Coordinates of all heavy atoms in Angstrom, one line a residue:
M1 N 94.6 95.9 77.3 CA 93.9 96.2 78.6 C 93.8 97.7 78.7 O 94.8 98.5 78.4 CB 94.7 95.6 79.7 CG 94.1 95.9 81.1 SD 95.1 95.4 82.4 CE 94.9 93.6 82.4
R2 N 92.8 98.3 79.3 CA 92.6 99.7 79.5 C 92.2 99.9 81.0 O 91.4 99.2 81.5 CB 91.5 100.3 78.6 CG 91.2 101.7 79.0 CD 90.1 102.3 78.1 NE 89.7 103.6 78.6 CZ 89.4 104.6 77.9 NH1 89.6 104.6 76.5 NH2 89.1 105.8 78.4
I3 N 93.0 100.8 81.6 CA 92.6 101.2 83.0 C 92.2 102.6 83.1 O 92.9 103.5 82.6 CB 93.9 101.0 83.9 CG1 94.4 99.5 83.9 CG2 93.6 101.4 85.4 CD1 95.6 99.2 84.7
D4 N 91.0 102.8 83.6 CA 90.5 104.1 83.8 C 90.4 104.5 85.3 O 89.9 103.7 86.1 CB 89.0 104.2 83.3 CG 89.0 104.3 81.8 OD1 89.4 105.3 81.2 OD2 88.6 103.2 81.2
I5 N 91.0 105.6 85.6 CA 90.9 106.0 87.1 C 90.1 107.3 87.1 O 90.3 108.3 86.3 CB 92.3 106.4 87.6 CG1 93.1 105.1 87.5 CG2 92.3 106.8 89.0 CD1 94.7 105.4 87.8
Y6 N 89.1 107.3 88.0 CA 88.3 108.5 88.2 C 88.4 108.9 89.6 O 88.1 108.2 90.6 CB 86.7 108.3 87.9 CG 86.5 107.8 86.4 CD1 86.4 106.5 86.1 CD2 86.4 108.7 85.5 CE1 86.1 106.1 84.8 CE2 86.2 108.4 84.1 CZ 86.0 107.0 83.9 OH 85.9 106.7 82.5
T7 N 88.9 110.1 89.8 CA 89.2 110.6 91.2 C 88.1 111.4 91.7 O 87.4 112.1 90.9 CB 90.5 111.4 91.2 OG1 90.4 112.5 90.4 CG2 91.7 110.5 90.8
N8 N 88.0 111.5 93.0 CA 87.1 112.5 93.6 C 87.8 113.0 95.0 O 88.8 112.5 95.3 CB 85.7 112.0 93.9 CG 85.6 110.9 94.9 OD1 86.6 110.6 95.6 ND2 84.4 110.2 95.0
S9 N 87.1 114.0 95.5 CA 87.8 114.6 96.7 C 86.6 114.9 97.7 O 85.5 115.2 97.2 CB 88.6 115.7 96.4 OG 87.9 116.8 95.8
D10 N 86.9 115.1 99.0 CA 86.0 115.4 100.0 C 86.7 116.3 100.9 O 87.9 116.2 101.2 CB 85.5 114.1 100.7 CG 84.4 114.4 101.6 OD1 83.6 115.3 101.4 OD2 84.4 113.7 102.7
S11 N 86.0 117.3 101.6 CA 86.6 118.1 102.6 C 85.7 118.1 103.9 O 84.5 117.7 103.8 CB 86.8 119.5 102.1 OG 85.5 120.0 101.7
H12 N 86.3 118.4 105.0 CA 85.6 118.2 106.3 C 86.2 119.4 107.1 O 87.4 119.6 107.2 CB 86.0 116.9 106.9 CG 85.5 116.7 108.3 ND1 84.3 116.4 108.7 CD2 86.3 116.8 109.4 CE1 84.1 116.4 110.0 NE2 85.4 116.5 110.5
D13 N 85.3 120.1 107.8 CA 85.7 121.1 108.7 C 85.5 120.7 110.2 O 84.4 120.2 110.5 CB 84.9 122.4 108.4 CG 85.6 123.2 107.3 OD1 86.8 123.5 107.4 OD2 84.9 123.7 106.3
C14 N 86.4 121.0 111.0 CA 86.4 120.6 112.4 C 86.8 121.8 113.2 O 87.9 122.4 112.9 CB 87.3 119.4 112.7 SG 87.4 119.0 114.4
E15 N 86.1 122.1 114.2 CA 86.5 123.3 115.2 C 87.9 123.1 115.8 O 88.6 124.0 116.1 CB 85.4 123.5 116.2 CG 84.2 124.1 115.6 CD 83.1 124.3 116.8 OE1 83.6 124.3 118.0 OE2 81.9 124.5 116.4
T16 N 88.2 121.8 116.1 CA 89.4 121.6 116.7 C 90.6 121.5 115.8 O 91.6 122.0 116.0 CB 89.4 120.2 117.5 OG1 88.2 120.3 118.4 CG2 90.6 119.9 118.3
C17 N 90.4 120.7 114.7 CA 91.4 120.4 113.8 C 91.6 121.3 112.6 O 92.6 121.3 111.9 CB 91.3 118.9 113.3 SG 91.0 117.8 114.6
G18 N 90.5 122.0 112.3 CA 90.5 122.8 111.1 C 90.0 121.9 109.9 O 89.3 120.9 110.2
A19 N 90.3 122.4 108.8 CA 89.9 121.7 107.6 C 90.7 120.5 107.2 O 91.9 120.6 107.4 CB 89.8 122.7 106.4
S20 N 90.1 119.5 106.8 CA 90.9 118.4 106.3 C 90.3 118.0 104.9 O 89.2 118.4 104.6 CB 90.8 117.1 107.2 OG 89.4 116.7 107.3
W21 N 91.1 117.4 104.1 CA 90.7 117.1 102.7 C 91.2 115.8 102.4 O 92.3 115.2 102.9 CB 91.4 118.1 101.9 CG 91.1 118.1 100.5 CD1 89.9 118.5 99.9 CD2 91.9 117.6 99.4 NE1 90.0 118.2 98.5 CE2 91.2 117.7 98.2 CE3 93.2 117.1 99.4 CZ2 91.7 117.4 96.9 CZ3 93.8 116.8 98.1 CH2 93.0 116.8 97.0
A22 N 90.4 115.0 101.6 CA 90.8 113.6 101.2 C 90.6 113.4 99.8 O 89.7 114.0 99.1 CB 90.0 112.6 102.1
Q23 N 91.3 112.5 99.2 CA 91.2 112.1 97.9 C 90.7 110.7 97.8 O 91.1 109.9 98.7 CB 92.5 112.2 97.1 CG 93.1 113.6 96.8 CD 94.4 113.5 96.1 OE1 95.4 113.2 96.7 NE2 94.3 113.7 94.8
G24 N 90.1 110.3 96.8 CA 89.7 108.9 96.5 C 89.3 108.7 95.1 O 89.6 109.6 94.3
G25 N 88.7 107.6 94.9 CA 88.3 107.5 93.4 C 87.9 106.0 93.1 O 87.8 105.1 94.0
K26 N 87.6 105.8 91.9 CA 87.3 104.5 91.4 C 88.3 104.1 90.2 O 88.8 105.0 89.5 CB 85.9 104.5 90.7 CG 84.8 104.7 91.8 CD 83.4 104.7 91.2 CE 82.3 104.9 92.3 NZ 81.0 104.9 91.6
V27 N 88.6 102.8 90.2 CA 89.4 102.3 89.0 C 88.6 101.2 88.3 O 88.1 100.3 88.9 CB 90.7 101.7 89.6 CG1 91.6 101.2 88.5 CG2 91.4 102.7 90.5
F28 N 88.6 101.4 87.0 CA 87.9 100.4 86.2 C 89.0 99.9 85.3 O 89.8 100.6 84.7 CB 86.9 101.1 85.2 CG 85.7 101.6 85.9 CD1 85.7 102.9 86.6 CD2 84.5 100.9 86.0 CE1 84.6 103.4 87.2 CE2 83.4 101.5 86.6 CZ 83.5 102.7 87.2
I29 N 89.0 98.5 85.1 CA 89.9 97.9 84.2 C 89.0 97.2 83.2 O 88.1 96.4 83.4 CB 90.8 96.9 84.9 CG1 91.6 97.6 86.0 CG2 91.6 96.0 83.9 CD1 92.6 96.6 86.8
D30 N 89.3 97.6 81.9 CA 88.4 97.1 80.8 C 87.0 97.3 81.1 O 86.1 96.5 80.8 CB 88.8 95.7 80.4 CG 90.2 95.7 79.7 OD1 90.6 96.6 79.2 OD2 90.7 94.5 79.7
G31 N 86.6 98.5 81.7 CA 85.2 98.8 81.9 C 84.6 98.1 83.2 O 83.5 98.4 83.6
K32 N 85.4 97.3 83.9 CA 84.9 96.6 85.1 C 85.4 97.4 86.4 O 86.6 97.6 86.5 CB 85.4 95.2 85.1 CG 84.8 94.3 86.2 CD 85.3 92.9 86.1 CE 84.8 92.1 87.4 NZ 85.8 91.0 87.7
L33 N 84.4 97.7 87.2 CA 84.9 98.3 88.5 C 85.7 97.4 89.4 O 85.2 96.3 89.8 CB 83.6 98.8 89.2 CG 83.8 99.5 90.6 CD1 84.5 100.8 90.3 CD2 82.5 99.8 91.2
I34 N 87.0 97.8 89.6 CA 87.8 97.0 90.5 C 88.0 97.7 91.8 O 88.1 96.9 92.9 CB 89.2 96.9 89.7 CG1 89.1 96.3 88.4 CG2 90.2 96.1 90.6 CD1 88.6 94.9 88.4
V35 N 88.2 98.9 91.9 CA 88.4 99.6 93.1 C 87.4 100.7 93.3 O 87.1 101.5 92.4 CB 89.8 100.2 93.2 CG1 90.0 101.1 94.5 CG2 90.8 99.0 93.2
D36 N 86.7 100.8 94.5 CA 85.8 101.8 94.8 C 86.1 102.4 96.1 O 85.7 101.9 97.1 CB 84.4 101.3 94.7 CG 83.3 102.4 94.9 OD1 83.6 103.5 94.9 OD2 82.2 102.0 94.8
L37 N 86.8 103.5 96.2 CA 87.2 104.1 97.4 C 86.9 105.6 97.4 O 87.7 106.5 97.1 CB 88.8 103.9 97.6 CG 89.3 102.6 98.0 CD1 90.8 102.5 97.9 CD2 88.8 102.2 99.4
P38 N 85.6 105.9 97.6 CA 85.2 107.3 97.6 C 86.0 108.1 98.7 O 86.3 107.6 99.8 CB 83.8 107.3 97.8 CG 83.5 106.0 98.5 CD 84.6 105.0 98.0
A39 N 86.3 109.3 98.4 CA 87.0 110.2 99.4 C 86.2 110.4 100.6 O 85.0 110.8 100.3 CB 87.5 111.4 98.7
V40 N 86.7 110.2 101.7 CA 85.9 110.6 103.0 C 86.9 111.4 103.9 O 87.8 110.8 104.4 CB 85.5 109.3 103.7 CG1 84.7 109.7 104.9 CG2 84.5 108.5 102.8
A41 N 86.7 112.6 103.9 CA 87.5 113.5 104.8 C 86.9 113.4 106.2 O 85.7 113.5 106.4 CB 87.5 115.0 104.4
H42 N 87.8 113.2 107.3 CA 87.4 113.1 108.6 C 88.6 113.4 109.6 O 89.7 113.2 109.1 CB 86.8 111.6 108.9 CG 85.9 111.6 110.1 ND1 86.5 111.3 111.3 CD2 84.6 111.7 110.2 CE1 85.4 111.3 112.2 NE2 84.3 111.5 111.5
C43 N 88.3 113.7 110.7 CA 89.4 114.0 111.7 C 90.2 112.8 111.9 O 91.5 112.9 111.8 CB 88.9 114.5 113.0 SG 87.9 115.9 113.0
Y44 N 89.7 111.7 112.2 CA 90.4 110.5 112.4 C 89.9 109.4 111.5 O 88.7 109.3 111.1 CB 90.3 110.0 113.9 CG 90.8 110.9 114.9 CD1 90.1 111.8 115.5 CD2 92.2 110.8 115.2 CE1 90.6 112.7 116.4 CE2 92.8 111.7 116.1 CZ 92.0 112.6 116.7 OH 92.6 113.5 117.6
G45 N 90.8 108.6 111.1 CA 90.5 107.4 110.3 C 90.1 107.8 108.9 O 89.4 107.1 108.1
A46 N 90.4 109.0 108.4 CA 90.2 109.4 107.0 C 91.0 108.6 106.1 O 92.1 108.2 106.4 CB 90.5 110.9 106.9
S47 N 90.4 108.2 105.0 CA 91.2 107.5 104.0 C 91.3 108.4 102.8 O 90.4 109.0 102.3 CB 90.3 106.3 103.5 OG 90.1 105.4 104.6
S48 N 92.5 108.5 102.4 CA 92.8 109.4 101.2 C 93.8 108.6 100.3 O 94.9 108.1 100.8 CB 93.5 110.7 101.7 OG 93.6 111.6 100.6
Y49 N 93.4 108.5 99.0 CA 94.3 107.8 98.1 C 94.4 108.7 96.9 O 93.5 109.1 96.3 CB 93.6 106.5 97.7 CG 93.3 105.6 99.0 CD1 92.0 105.7 99.5 CD2 94.3 104.8 99.5 CE1 91.7 105.0 100.6 CE2 94.0 104.1 100.6 CZ 92.7 104.1 101.2 OH 92.5 103.4 102.3
N50 N 95.7 108.8 96.4 CA 95.9 109.6 95.1 C 95.8 108.6 94.0 O 95.6 107.3 94.3 CB 97.2 110.3 95.2 CG 98.5 109.4 95.3 OD1 98.4 108.3 94.9 ND2 99.5 109.9 95.9
E51 N 95.9 109.1 92.8 CA 95.7 108.2 91.7 C 96.8 107.1 91.6 O 96.5 106.0 91.1 CB 95.5 109.0 90.4 CG 96.8 109.8 90.0 CD 96.6 111.3 90.5 OE1 96.1 111.5 91.6 OE2 97.0 112.1 89.8
D52 N 98.0 107.4 92.1 CA 99.0 106.3 92.1 C 98.6 105.2 92.9 O 98.8 104.1 92.6 CB 100.3 106.9 92.5 CG 100.9 108.0 91.6 OD1 100.4 108.2 90.5 OD2 101.9 108.7 92.0
E53 N 98.1 105.5 94.2 CA 97.8 104.6 95.1 C 96.6 103.8 94.6 O 96.5 102.5 94.8 CB 97.5 105.2 96.5 CG 98.7 105.7 97.1 CD 98.5 106.6 98.3 OE1 97.5 107.4 98.3 OE2 99.2 106.5 99.3
L54 N 95.6 104.5 94.0 CA 94.5 103.7 93.4 C 94.9 102.8 92.4 O 94.4 101.7 92.3 CB 93.5 104.8 92.8 CG 92.8 105.7 93.9 CD1 92.1 106.9 93.1 CD2 91.8 104.9 94.7
L55 N 95.8 103.1 91.6 CA 96.3 102.3 90.6 C 97.0 101.0 91.1 O 96.7 99.9 90.7 CB 97.3 103.0 89.6 CG 97.9 102.2 88.5 CD1 96.9 101.7 87.6 CD2 98.9 103.1 87.7
V56 N 97.8 101.3 92.2 CA 98.5 100.2 92.8 C 97.5 99.2 93.5 O 97.7 97.9 93.4 CB 99.6 100.7 93.8 CG1 100.1 99.5 94.7 CG2 100.7 101.4 93.1
I57 N 96.5 99.8 94.1 CA 95.5 99.0 94.8 C 94.7 98.1 93.7 O 94.5 96.9 93.9 CB 94.5 99.9 95.6 CG1 95.3 100.5 96.7 CG2 93.3 99.0 96.1 CD1 94.5 101.7 97.4
A58 N 94.5 98.8 92.6 CA 93.7 98.1 91.5 C 94.6 96.9 91.0 O 94.1 95.8 90.7 CB 93.3 99.0 90.4
L59 N 95.9 97.2 90.7 CA 96.7 96.2 90.2 C 96.8 95.0 91.1 O 96.8 93.8 90.7 CB 98.1 96.7 90.0 CG 98.3 97.7 88.8 CD1 99.6 98.3 88.8 CD2 98.0 97.0 87.5
K60 N 96.9 95.2 92.5 CA 96.9 94.2 93.4 C 95.6 93.3 93.4 O 95.6 92.1 93.5 CB 97.1 94.7 94.8 CG 97.4 93.6 95.9 CD 97.9 94.3 97.2 CE 98.2 93.2 98.2 NZ 99.2 92.3 97.9
E61 N 94.5 94.0 93.1 CA 93.2 93.3 93.1 C 93.2 92.3 91.8 O 92.5 91.3 91.9 CB 92.1 94.3 92.8 CG 91.7 95.1 94.1 CD 91.1 94.1 95.2 OE1 90.2 93.3 94.9 OE2 91.7 94.1 96.3
I62 N 94.0 92.6 90.8 CA 94.1 91.6 89.7 C 95.3 90.8 89.8 O 95.7 90.1 88.8 CB 94.0 92.3 88.3 CG1 95.0 93.4 88.1 CG2 92.6 93.1 88.2 CD1 95.2 93.9 86.7
G63 N 96.0 90.8 90.9 CA 97.1 89.9 91.1 C 98.5 90.4 90.7 O 99.4 89.6 90.6
V64 N 98.6 91.7 90.5 CA 99.9 92.3 90.2 C 100.3 93.0 91.4 O 99.8 94.0 91.9 CB 99.7 93.3 89.0 CG1 101.1 93.9 88.7 CG2 99.1 92.6 87.9
N65 N 101.5 92.6 92.0 CA 102.1 93.3 93.1 C 103.2 94.2 92.7 O 104.0 93.9 91.9 CB 102.7 92.2 94.0 CG 101.6 91.4 94.7 OD1 100.8 91.9 95.4 ND2 101.7 90.1 94.6
V66 N 103.1 95.5 93.3 CA 104.1 96.5 92.9 C 105.0 96.7 94.0 O 104.6 96.9 95.2 CB 103.4 97.8 92.6 CG1 104.4 98.9 92.3 CG2 102.3 97.6 91.5
F67 N 106.3 96.7 93.7 CA 107.4 96.9 94.7 C 108.2 98.1 94.4 O 108.4 98.4 93.2 CB 108.3 95.6 94.8 CG 107.6 94.4 95.3 CD1 107.0 93.6 94.4 CD2 107.7 94.1 96.6 CE1 106.4 92.5 94.8 CE2 107.1 92.9 97.1 CZ 106.4 92.1 96.2
V68 N 108.6 98.8 95.4 CA 109.4 100.0 95.3 C 110.7 99.7 96.1 O 110.6 99.5 97.3 CB 108.7 101.3 95.8 CG1 109.7 102.5 95.7 CG2 107.4 101.5 95.0
D69 N 111.8 99.7 95.4 CA 113.1 99.3 96.0 C 113.0 98.1 96.9 O 113.5 98.0 98.0 CB 113.5 100.5 97.0 CG 113.8 101.8 96.2 OD1 114.2 101.7 95.0 OD2 113.6 102.9 96.7
G70 N 112.3 97.1 96.4 CA 112.2 95.8 97.0 C 111.2 95.7 98.1 O 110.9 94.6 98.6
D71 N 110.5 96.8 98.4 CA 109.4 96.7 99.4 C 108.1 96.9 98.7 O 107.9 97.6 97.7 CB 109.6 97.7 100.5 CG 110.9 97.6 101.3 OD1 111.1 96.4 101.7 OD2 111.5 98.6 101.7
N72 N 107.0 96.4 99.4 CA 105.7 96.6 98.8 C 105.4 98.1 98.7 O 105.7 98.9 99.7 CB 104.6 96.0 99.8 CG 104.3 94.5 99.5 OD1 104.0 94.3 98.3 ND2 104.4 93.7 100.5
Y73 N 104.8 98.5 97.6 CA 104.4 99.9 97.5 C 103.6 100.3 98.7 O 102.6 99.6 99.1 CB 103.6 100.0 96.2 CG 103.2 101.5 95.9 CD1 103.9 102.2 95.0 CD2 102.1 102.0 96.5 CE1 103.5 103.6 94.7 CE2 101.7 103.3 96.3 CZ 102.5 104.1 95.4 OH 102.0 105.4 95.1
H74 N 104.0 101.4 99.4 CA 103.3 101.7 100.6 C 102.1 102.7 100.3 O 102.3 103.7 99.8 CB 104.2 102.4 101.6 CG 103.7 102.6 102.9 ND1 103.1 101.7 103.7 CD2 103.6 103.8 103.6 CE1 102.7 102.2 104.9 NE2 103.0 103.5 104.8
V75 N 100.9 102.2 100.5 CA 99.8 103.0 100.4 C 99.5 103.8 101.6 O 99.2 103.2 102.7 CB 98.5 102.3 100.0 CG1 97.3 103.1 99.9 CG2 98.7 101.5 98.7
T76 N 99.7 105.1 101.6 CA 99.6 105.9 102.8 C 98.3 106.6 102.9 O 97.4 106.6 102.0 CB 100.6 107.0 102.8 OG1 100.5 107.8 101.6 CG2 102.0 106.4 102.8
C77 N 98.0 107.1 104.1 CA 96.9 107.9 104.3 C 97.4 109.2 104.9 O 97.9 109.2 105.9 CB 95.9 107.2 105.3 SG 94.6 108.3 106.0
H78 N 97.2 110.3 104.1 CA 97.9 111.5 104.4 C 97.4 112.1 105.8 O 98.2 112.9 106.4 CB 97.9 112.5 103.3 CG 96.7 113.3 103.2 ND1 96.3 113.9 102.0 CD2 95.7 113.6 104.0 CE1 95.2 114.6 102.2 NE2 94.7 114.4 103.3
N79 N 96.3 111.7 106.3 CA 95.9 112.3 107.6 C 96.7 111.7 108.7 O 96.7 112.3 109.8 CB 94.4 112.0 107.8 CG 93.6 113.0 106.9 OD1 93.9 113.3 105.8 ND2 92.4 113.5 107.5
D80 N 97.4 110.7 108.4 CA 98.3 110.2 109.5 C 99.4 111.2 109.8 O 99.8 111.3 110.9 CB 99.0 108.9 109.0 CG 98.1 107.7 109.2 OD1 97.0 107.8 109.8 OD2 98.5 106.6 108.5
Y81 N 99.8 112.0 108.9 CA 100.8 113.0 109.1 C 100.3 114.0 110.1 O 100.9 114.6 110.9 CB 101.3 113.6 107.8 CG 102.0 112.6 106.9 CD1 101.4 112.3 105.7 CD2 103.2 112.1 107.3 CE1 102.0 111.4 104.9 CE2 103.8 111.2 106.4 CZ 103.2 110.8 105.2 OH 103.8 109.9 104.4
Y82 N 99.0 114.3 109.8 CA 98.4 115.3 110.6 C 98.1 115.0 112.0 O 98.3 115.7 112.9 CB 97.1 115.8 109.8 CG 96.4 117.0 110.5 CD1 97.1 118.2 110.7 CD2 95.1 116.9 110.9 CE1 96.5 119.3 111.2 CE2 94.5 118.0 111.5 CZ 95.2 119.1 111.7 OH 94.5 120.3 112.2
H83 N 97.5 113.8 112.2 CA 97.0 113.4 113.5 C 98.1 112.4 114.2 O 97.8 111.9 115.3 CB 95.7 112.7 113.5 CG 94.5 113.7 113.3 ND1 93.8 113.8 112.1 CD2 94.0 114.6 114.2 CE1 92.9 114.7 112.3 NE2 93.0 115.2 113.5
G84 N 99.1 112.0 113.5 CA 100.0 111.0 114.1 C 99.5 109.6 113.9 O 98.3 109.4 113.4
K85 N 100.4 108.7 114.2 CA 100.1 107.3 113.9 C 99.2 106.7 115.0 O 98.8 105.5 114.8 CB 101.4 106.5 113.7 CG 102.2 106.9 112.5 CD 101.7 106.4 111.2 CE 102.6 106.8 110.0 NZ 101.9 106.4 108.8
S86 N 99.2 107.3 116.2 CA 98.5 106.6 117.3 C 97.0 106.5 116.9 O 96.4 107.3 116.4 CB 98.7 107.4 118.6 OG 98.2 108.7 118.4
K87 N 96.4 105.4 117.5 CA 95.0 105.2 117.2 C 94.3 105.1 118.6 O 94.8 104.4 119.5 CB 94.8 103.9 116.5 CG 95.2 104.1 115.1 CD 94.0 103.6 114.1 CE 94.2 104.1 112.7 NZ 93.1 103.7 111.8
Ligands
ZN101 ZN1 89.0 117.2 114.4

């Protein structure tokens, strides 16, 4: 089995918040597109995934669950740190 991860990034400028930046990408397993999460930088609701998270998401798509210290691998969105968890 071969897993290919292709990352991309996006940036967004806001007068209120300043610049934000997001990561995303695609994951192919044996040449088949499994995960397609293009980077979308935005003030709120931005989705950002590093290559580790992309890999974990892809593994889950094929039925492999990844645990860290007994808990599900936590896929974070780094803009939560910037804007807080409130929605
Ligand atoms: Zn903003």
Side-chain angles (χ1 to χ4, degrees):
M1 181 186 288
R2 172 180 171 139
I3 299 179
D4 286 289
I5 302 171
Y6 298 96
T7 60
N8 65 12
S9 62
D10 186 36
S11 60
H12 172 76
D13 273 312
C14 170
E15 288 182 13
T16 306
C17 310
S20 63
W21 184 74
Q23 287 179 285
K26 295 180 179 181
V27 183
F28 293 82
I29 297 180
D30 287 337
K32 185 180 173 206
L33 180 63
I34 301 295
V35 173
D36 187 3
L37 288 168
V40 180
H42 199 270
C43 298
Y44 292 96
S47 298
S48 187
Y49 305 94
N50 64 32
E51 58 265 39
D52 297 350
E53 292 171 319
L54 291 168
L55 178 59
V56 169
I57 293 166
L59 289 172
K60 190 168 179 64
E61 285 296 308
I62 61 167
V64 179
N65 292 302
V66 179
F67 292 88
V68 178
D69 296 331
D71 292 321
N72 271 309
Y73 183 101
H74 186 56
V75 176
T76 57
C77 169
H78 79 200
N79 283 38
D80 282 349
Y81 296 113
Y82 183 58
H83 283 111
K85 297 279 184 187
S86 60
K87 284 230 162 181

